[in-house]
Amino acid sequence: MEKSYVWGIDLGGTKIECAVLSAADLTQVIARERIDTEASKGYEHIISQVARLVSRVSEQLGVAPTRIGFATPGVLNPATQTMKNCNTTSMNGRPMAADLTKALGVEVRLANDANCFALAETHLGAVQDVNPKAEVVFGIIMGTGVGGGLVVHGQVINGLHGIGGEWGHNILEEGGKACYCGKSGCVEHVISGPALEEFYLSESGQKLRMPQILQAHLAGTDMHASATIERMLENFGRAVSTLINVLDPQVIVIGGGVGNIDLLYTEGIERIKKYIFNSREVLTPIVKPKLGDSAGVFGAALLFQ
Ligand SMILES: [Zn+2]
């Protein structure tokens, strides 16, 4: 009975969400529930919130899971089996896979939210429309931060250190702004939403959010807004061209707030062509995601597929 269901949990900083899909038809959502993470109450409390949510959904369905995939804010360090790079910092250094297994009595698999995004869009989202047979897919997150996930033959590639797909911390701007990762000028510090807003502020002396900066650029009335959008496009082109040169994916999906900007799919693509090691007539299909906020939890459910 249990085998006919596939369980995923998106462990976010504010909400924990559980989705149960039909194993026979993964597009069918059998159950979906959310609970507050209450992260400020600490790590043990987060684990107990997960247990509370799982037992609530189990009761609802009349069946308990034996395996659950988790989308997490950071990754499990393969060497130490403890968490790292989580912005919910109480998770860092903790053996979360082991703790979840103990608390829930199930087998677990963990992947960061960018990897889950890439996996979900590959199997259930945008990639299905463009090239369902794609062997290599790269999912880009361009929002508050910049991250990514690599899917090869339908599976997430975590890599030796668990950092597979983390192109947001490649150095893009020599001598650029210091990053929390210890380096400076990372992709994330050039083309994330906050980085672009900061650039606009330093140029214009004014605080504007990305949607307003874009609007001002499109109206053609604000040279600083135009300089900010130019900075985004040019650096997007440089950063994505290196991804394509290394992986040459069949499809790239771009999620996140900044990733929603239409110009990336027109002028942004022209900038990539400037830098790519290929003829400039054709380029990798670069598409918007389809699943919205559901990508994390669906991707988590697919970790055991
Ligand atoms: Zn960095």
Side-chain angles (χ1 to χ4, degrees):
M1 175 81 184
E2 192 276 329
K3 274 212 169 96
S4 57
Y5 295 145
V6 177
W7 290 62
I9 289 181
D10 187 1
L11 227 177
T14 52
K15 295 272 181 197
I16 302 170
E17 181 170 21
C18 175
V20 182
L21 313 179
S22 158
D25 175 5
L26 294 167
T27 62
Q28 260 215 308
V29 181
I30 308 293
R32 200 163 172 180
E33 283 273 344
R34 295 175 129 198
I35 192 171
D36 287 335
T37 311
E38 298 176 348
S40 62
K41 294 188 182 171
Y43 175 78
E44 278 76 18
H45 185 74
I46 296 173
I47 300 288
S48 72
Q49 286 294 83
V50 174
R52 199 161 294 141
L53 180 63
V54 170
S55 72
R56 193 194 289 173
V57 177
S58 301
E59 233 165 78
Q60 198 183 311
L61 294 177
V63 58
T66 55
R67 306 193 298 192
I68 305 179
F70 284 84
T72 57
V75 294
L76 199 64
N77 180 338
T80 60
Q81 289 295 304
T82 55
M83 297 300 288
K84 64 178 178 182
N85 303 346
C86 298
N87 51 11
T88 305
T89 50
S90 64
M91 294 179 190
N92 287 325
R94 307 300 290 259
M96 206 150 109
D99 289 343
L100 285 168
T101 294
K102 204 159 87 185
L104 305 170
V106 300
E107 192 186 342
V108 303
R109 240 172 233 177
L110 275 53
N112 79 4
D113 33 22
N115 285 347
C116 290
F117 162 79
L119 194 58
E121 289 294 340
T122 298
H123 291 284
L124 302 172
V127 179
Q128 288 299 311
D129 294 342
V130 185
N131 182 355
K133 291 194 174 137
E135 291 183 304
V136 181
V137 173
F138 198 86
I140 285 176
I141 303 280
M142 254 175 98
T144 313
V146 175
L150 172 61
V151 175
V152 177
H153 294 136
Q155 302 284 319
V156 160
I157 304 295
N158 286 310
L160 175 64
H161 304 95
I163 59 166
E166 293 289 2
W167 71 300
H169 295 274
N170 287 352
I171 292 173
L172 182 58
E173 192 173 56
E174 207 58 54
K177 210 174 164 284
C179 180
Y180 67 87
C181 77
K183 302 189 299 288
S184 62
C186 295
V187 171
E188 180 165 302
H189 272 282
V190 183
I191 60 170
S192 67
L196 290 163
E197 287 165 3
E198 204 171 301
F199 177 79
Y200 179 81
L201 174 64
S202 72
E203 293 288 298
S204 69
Q206 266 191 310
K207 250 192 182 163
L208 282 189
R209 302 301 308 272
M210 249 344 252
Q212 285 92 52
I213 296 171
L214 179 65
Q215 216 172 14
H217 162 69
L218 294 173
T221 51
D222 181 343
M223 61 184 274
H224 304 301
S226 292
T228 306
I229 297 301
E230 169 61 25
R231 178 174 168 82
M232 174 190 79
L233 292 169
E234 187 64 10
N235 284 291
F236 171 79
R238 290 174 58 206
V240 175
S241 70
T242 60
L243 277 181
I244 297 177
N245 283 350
V246 175
L247 302 167
D248 202 5
Q250 274 99 352
V251 186
I252 294 178
V253 191
I254 311 184
V258 178
N260 201 29
I261 294 176
D262 290 335
L263 270 177
L264 292 175
Y265 302 84
T266 52
E267 185 56 27
I269 287 177
E270 293 307 311
R271 303 302 172 95
I272 297 170
K273 288 183 185 171
K274 254 171 81 178
Y275 296 110
I276 195 176
F277 181 55
N278 192 36
S279 82
R280 293 173 186 178
E281 286 78 48
V282 286
L283 187 70
T284 321
I286 298 181
V287 295
K288 288 189 179 182
K290 268 183 83 177
L291 301 171
D293 288 345
S294 304
V297 76
F298 288 173
L302 293 170
L303 286 171
F304 275 109
Q305 288 301 289

